């Protein structure tokens, strides 16, 4: 019975049969579910059965699991535990061994190929930008070519990083001679609004101020130099004067950046004739003083009047190399035209050709006219007819196309065309844009920021007049938005006098306004009455306004109409809804929403959600009501959790210091009534006031005026 395969017992044959069935099942399973199925003999051999050899002696002593007979009849020694050798199946469910991928296999999947991670250097776009602008700045300092520098910066792209260009340009210039400092200021003026936006200019100077401490380590007089750069930017109208005030709020008083702003304000911008002082501080980019440049301009203009050679005059202007100072050419040319009446045609011809050639830009041309307009009073001492002559030159320049038509101001009051102070004209143009944007966006905080950036609080009445005039010619939505905005402005930046004077200006021009807006008188009366209901104006202010108007004018009649509206029954509710709710709902609805959101927060709500609800109200001018109700609720519930909410709102700028102070004042004013319901109200309120003062929430001692003093935007709850 001995054979080459040895003898098997019945039990062994049964195991072999089971192993064969298992192998068939595994071989028919989908790819990926099994790796290398075991052969029946492998499975069988795992029981370590030694089969007695028979036949050839050479096979004696070899375990069955270590021997396999090939098709050729030869015995093949296989790997221990199977899973190897030519013609073998491999180990059952073998996942530990190395897999070998056969690309000729029908089931070959390239995704199973082994791969190797290759490290690669990732470049930072900001680092690349900073390196590129260094070469642009170095080349500019070498050549002085503003146009090339502007073109290179424009081609570089990455406009979101331009604030870092400002920082690098100024910081590099600070460590060089006056020539480079002047060149840096000239380049900033050239890039302003054309290549770099005004907001990026501001942000660039902000990060310069924040890094002033580091700059002072390498540059001994860094504070003074940076202060002069900021003063020069203000003089060149690329930074608004309000920038200094706003930037101070973001810097610690002990920082070098704060010192820079103080130096700029006190040493440069407050000095007499500060503009001329700042402009000549670095001597000009051509290494000659401002006085020398002015002398050369005067000489070339007189030579031109004698010769009449406009080409030669333009060449001389170009050779001066002071494109940022071409407004002086315009100003002196116009003065010469007034002094020598026969020279006027030649002067106008020169300015026209200089404009057409692009030698004198439109902004420099307008600036030259504006500077002359500012000095007309002094000029009239030497040239009595200076004002009338100047006004005659403006339409000629506009008609010939070398002066922007916006310089000509069409008076809204009397329809007469006249030249006015350039800054006021510019302010009017800017606020019209700001008001239009507000009507589209309904973003009060952004409008307030824009107004502060203009830095002309003396023109607040003009803004009010423009706002209401534009609103009257629109739908009820815009009228409601205008009334809401007045309440916010009164709290934040407008005084009661500003608003009263604005209404006086409106009422003085009411007859002319009625030519364009048929119902102007009734609309103005509603705006006046609404202002009183919103506590923007007090009833006594109506008397003051009326006293400033002629006795029997239509404006006086409008004031009387407003008084009648206020005296009517339920006037408050009617006037609050006079525009149909406009952008939102009546103040009573706002109070209900505030109460609900505070109750929800007090019962376990999340601070972030409460802040978002306050933000969604869209009534920042009414946030003092949030403060008032939060404090009352804290007193009633004997839970100081509301203070945490107020702290977060204050930190995020959601509730301003003015609104916070007004809310506390409203609690103080109603303390007698409050004490009837909450016996210890005064004690709790004193604690809250002390806490608020420690946290810096309050602008002034309670009881003093914030915007108007004792105003309550709405009657108490």
């Amino acid at each position: 019975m001995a054979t080459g395969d040895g003898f098997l017992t019945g039990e062994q044959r049964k195991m072999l049969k089971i192993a064969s069935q298992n192998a068939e099942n595994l071989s028919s399973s989908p790819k990926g579910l099994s790796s290398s199925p075991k052969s029946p003999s492998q499975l069988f051999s795992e029981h370590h059965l030694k089969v007695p050899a028979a036949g050839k002696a050479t096979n004696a002593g070899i375990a069955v699991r270590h021997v396999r007979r090939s098709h050729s009849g030869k015995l093949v020694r296989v790997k221990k535990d199977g899973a190897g050798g030519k013609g073998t199946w491999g180990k059952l469910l073998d996942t530990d061994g190395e897999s070998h991928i056969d690309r000729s296999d029908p089931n070959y999947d390239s995704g199973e190929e082994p791969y190797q991670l290759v490290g690669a250097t990732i470049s930072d776009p900001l680092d690349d930008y900073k390196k590129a602008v260094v070469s642009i700045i170095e080349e500019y300092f070498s050549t002085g070519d503003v146009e090339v520098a502007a073109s290179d910066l424009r081609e570089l792209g990455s406009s979101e990083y331009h604030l870092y260009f400002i920082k690098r340009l100024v910081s590099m210039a600070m460590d060089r001679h006056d020539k480079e400092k002047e060149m840096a200021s000239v380049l900033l003026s050239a890039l302003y609004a054309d290549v770099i936006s005004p907001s990026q200019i501001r942000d660039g100077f902000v990060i310069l101020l924040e890094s002033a401490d580091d700059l002072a380590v390498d540059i001994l007089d860094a504070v003074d130099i940076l202060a002069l750069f900021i003063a020069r930017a203000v003089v060149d109208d690329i930074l608004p004067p309000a920038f200094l005030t706003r930037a101070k709020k973001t810097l610690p008083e002990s920082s070098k950046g704060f010192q820079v702003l103080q130096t700029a304000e006190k040493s440069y911008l407050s000095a007499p004739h500060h503009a001329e002082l700042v402009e000549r501080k670095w001597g000009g980019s051509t290494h000659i003083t401002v006085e020398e440049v002015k002398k050369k301009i005067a000489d070339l203009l007189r030579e031109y009047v004698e010769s009449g050679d406009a080409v030669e005059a333009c060449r001389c202007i170009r050779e001066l190399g002071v494109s940022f100072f071409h407004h002086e050419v315009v100003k002196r040319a116009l003065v010469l035209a007034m002094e020598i009446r026969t020279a006027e045609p030649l002067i106008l011809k020169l300015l026209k050709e200089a404009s057409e050639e692009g030698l004198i830009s439109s902004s420099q041309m307008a600036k030259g006219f504006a500077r002359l307009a500012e000095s007309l009073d002094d000029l009239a001492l030497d040239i009595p007819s200076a004002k009338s002559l100047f006004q005659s030159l403006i339409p000629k320049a506009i008609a010939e196309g070398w002066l922007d038509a916006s310089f000509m101001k069409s008076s809204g009051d009397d329809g007469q065309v006249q030249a006015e102070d350039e800054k006021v004209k510019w302010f009017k143009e800017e606020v019209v844009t700001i008001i239009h944007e507000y009507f589209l966006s309904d973003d009060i905080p952004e409008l307030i920021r824009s107004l502060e950036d203009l830095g002309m609080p003396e023109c607040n009445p003009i803004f009010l007049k423009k706002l209401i005039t534009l609103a009257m010619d629109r739908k009820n939505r815009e009228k409601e938005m205008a009334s809401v905005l007045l309440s916010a402005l009164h709290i934040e930046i407008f005084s009661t006098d500003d608003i009263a004077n604005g209404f006086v200006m409106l009422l003085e021009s009411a007859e002319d306004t009625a030519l364009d807006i048929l119902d102007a008188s009734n609309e103005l009366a509603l705006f006046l009455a609404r202002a009183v209901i919103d506590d923007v104006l007090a009833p006594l202010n109506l008397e003051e306004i009326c006293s400033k108007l002629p006795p029997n004018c239509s404006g006086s009649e409008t004031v009387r109409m407003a008084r009648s509206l206020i005296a009517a029954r339920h006037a408050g509710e009617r006037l609050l809804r006079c525009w149909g709710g406009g952008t939102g709902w009546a103040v009573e609805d706002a109070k209900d929403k505030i109460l609900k959101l505070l109750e929800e927060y007090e019962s376990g709500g999340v601070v972030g959600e409460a802040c978002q609800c306050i933000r969604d109200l869209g009534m920042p001018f009414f946030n003092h009501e949030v403060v008032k109700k939060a404090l009352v609720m804290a007193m009633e519930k004997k839970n100081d959790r509301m203070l945490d909410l107020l702290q977060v709102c204050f930190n995020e700028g959601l509730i301003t210091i003015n609104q916070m102070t007004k809310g506390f004042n409203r609690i103080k004013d109603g303390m007698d009534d409050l004490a009837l319901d909450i016996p210890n109200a005064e004690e709790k309120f004193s604690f809250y006031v002390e806490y608020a003062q420690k946290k810096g929430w309050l602008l002034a001692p309670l009881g003093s005026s914030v915007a108007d003093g004792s105003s309550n935007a709405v009657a108490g709850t």
Side-chain angles (χ1 to χ4, degrees), residues 529-551:
R530 175 65 181 269
V532 173
I533 293 299
D534 288 342
D535 277 346
V536 173
L537 290 175
L540 286 176
N541 293 133
L542 296 183
E543 299 289 342
E544 295 173 4
I545 291 171
C546 198
S547 67
K548 296 179 180 179
L549 299 171

Side-chain angles (χ1 to χ4, degrees), residues 174-218:
M174 287 173 66
D175 203 23
R176 301 199 179 203
H177 298 294
D178 285 353
K179 173 176 178 270
E180 283 79 10
K181 295 183 180 74
E182 177 68 21
M183 292 174 72
S185 292
V186 170
L187 182 59
L188 288 178
S189 295
L191 297 177
Y192 175 78
D194 184 24
V195 180
I196 303 179
S197 68
S199 62
Q200 288 175 321
I201 295 277
R202 290 196 299 270
D203 292 344
F205 276 101
V206 167
I207 59 176
L208 273 166
L209 289 168
E210 290 172 349
S211 61
D213 292 278
D214 296 331
L215 291 170
V217 175
D218 301 320

